[in-house]
Amino acid sequence: MKPIQLKEGVYWVGEIDWDLRNFHGYSTQRGSTYNTYLVIDEKITLVDGVRPHLFDKMMQRLSALIDPAKIHYVVVNHVEMDHSGSLPLIMDVAKNATILTSPNGKKGLLAHYKRNDWNIQVVNMDEEVNIGKRTIKFFLAQMVHWPDNMAGYLVEEKILFSNDAFGQHIASPERFDDELYLGVVLEEAKKYYANIVLPYSMQVKKTLEKLSPLPIDIIAPSHGIVWRSHVKNIINEYHKWASNQTRNKCLIIYDTMWKSTEKIALTLQNAFNHSGIGTKMINLRYNHISDIVTDVLEARFICVGSPTLNSNMLPTVSAFLTYLKGLSPKNRVGLAFGSYGWGGQSVRHVEDALKECGFDLLESIKFQYIPDEAQLKETYEKVKQEIGKK
Ligand code: FEO
């Protein structure tokens, strides 16, 4: 369990979670890491923690460098338990340590751990704490991802400890962005943004503005790979994602019972393709919702289809729409479609959900039983015309 040096006196001492495959509903096929950082200065400072079951491994890395009892500050950038879960164990070892956290962080820690005996020092926006030869400047980043989030900037080293921002769920022996395929790191950063950060894009924009004057050599997030060679690249991607910039791309997301809804999906694919818009066919039976919203991050057109089952949508479709509504992407064009035997309520339910997302809607498409060639041809022409107006 070796620590990894970021700069002289600054180390990654976190732990790798090789087995993680689900992070509150987000499929994490590459696993993850919980990144803890150690700054060795006159006042030894630990930044963030790991999940409790990985505490011993983190301590092995830490103990290779220092006596953990000598930790002076423990920075809690975020109370969510993937980072603070091991805090009680850390504080049992570093008995004299002071916790540095945001005002909401203090409230969150007391509510989670009920430890009035901990010495907690609240830090505010732009506050600086001297740790010896170095200084940490704090930036409150409320709602990126919880109300307590903050980031710490190690001024002399130009290292930003960004916590959830700029993270990715990747378990790997590599620690830096120039040691892995960049495409993989960016794809996982994009998936992370879509699934965790997207609802808070306004706050991300404010945080990016606040950070923009800082010279940054290294972005050290709390999950995944550390950015040192592609810092500008990931900041640019964050600007794009936070602005809800989309491409002329269409996702056709559906489930089907007896292939009638699928026939409509294929007709939509033709209509979009012949309008010069690339489409991706996404059958909800074979795709995870967290992968689908990763595509939603860049797609302007979102078509969602379901047959009617017991006066409702298929459960796969309603699960996706619930997830989508929560993530609240903006500036999208939606289309609801589906088939039915009798009743036919599914399309209205899909349409209502897309309206609740705030999407600009194309006219919905609905067929009883099996649409024939003439009906599909008419649909193709109608959808092409509507696309032309957008
Ligand atoms: Fe990685 Fe919001 O915790």
Side-chain angles (χ1 to χ4, degrees), residues 166 186 189-190 193 208 227 231-243 297-298:
F166 307 109
L186 285 170
K190 179 177 156 194
Y193 191 96
L208 290 173
W227 303 92
V231 168
K232 279 193 184 144
N233 204 333
I234 188 60
I235 289 177
N236 287 343
E237 292 298 302
Y238 259 60
H239 276 291
K240 194 174 79 184
W241 298 332
S243 310
L297 194 60
E298 291 188 330

Side-chain angles (χ1 to χ4, degrees), residues 7 9-10 38-39 41 129 131 134-137 152-161 215:
K7 285 201 176 185
V10 185
L38 182 72
V39 186
D41 209 312
V129 174
I131 60 169
R134 303 180 183 88
T135 309
I136 306 178
K137 184 170 181 171
Y153 178 65
L154 194 59
V155 178
E156 294 75 9
E157 308 293 352
K158 302 184 180 69
I159 298 176
L160 180 71
F161 300 113

Side-chain angles (χ1 to χ4, degrees), residues 9-63:
V10 185
Y11 297 87
W12 176 87
V13 291
E15 194 40 59
I16 301 166
D17 193 342
W18 300 102
D19 298 336
L20 186 79
R21 291 294 177 271
N22 187 306
F23 192 92
H24 51 57
Y26 164 176
S27 120
T28 50
Q29 290 309 307
R30 287 192 164 96
S32 194
T33 66
Y34 313 104
N35 295 340
T36 303
Y37 300 97
L38 182 72
V39 186
I40 303 179
D41 209 312
E42 287 158 31
K43 295 173 180 170
I44 295 173
T45 301
L46 192 68
V47 180
D48 292 324
V50 297
R51 291 174 69 167
H53 70 286
L54 298 172
F55 171 76
D56 289 344
K57 287 182 175 173
M58 182 195 84
M59 285 307 276
Q60 284 176 36
R61 288 188 209 275
L62 196 57
S63 304

Side-chain angles (χ1 to χ4, degrees), residues 254-262 283 285 305-310 312-315 339-342:
Y254 67 99
D255 199 346
T256 193
M257 199 186 298
W258 296 108
K259 303 277 185 190
S260 291
T261 298
E262 189 167 78
N283 186 326
R285 275 191 223 177
S306 176
T308 297
L309 175 73
N310 302 329
N312 217 316
M313 309 171 249
L314 287 179
S339 61
Y340 65 100
W342 63 99

Side-chain angles (χ1 to χ4, degrees), residues 23 78 80 82-83 145 164 192 222-223:
F23 192 92
H78 182 22
E80 192 165 11
D82 49 334
H83 309 295
H145 160 225
D164 276 346
Y192 192 94
S222 57
H223 295 290

Side-chain angles (χ1 to χ4, degrees), residues 171-201:
S172 73
E174 295 84 5
R175 291 274 62 78
F176 296 99
D177 57 347
D178 45 36
E179 296 175 334
L180 268 183
Y181 287 118
L182 183 60
V184 169
V185 189
L186 285 170
E187 174 68 19
E188 288 299 338
K190 179 177 156 194
K191 182 170 181 177
Y192 192 94
Y193 191 96
N195 283 275
I196 302 276
V197 189
L198 181 59
Y200 316 113
S201 288

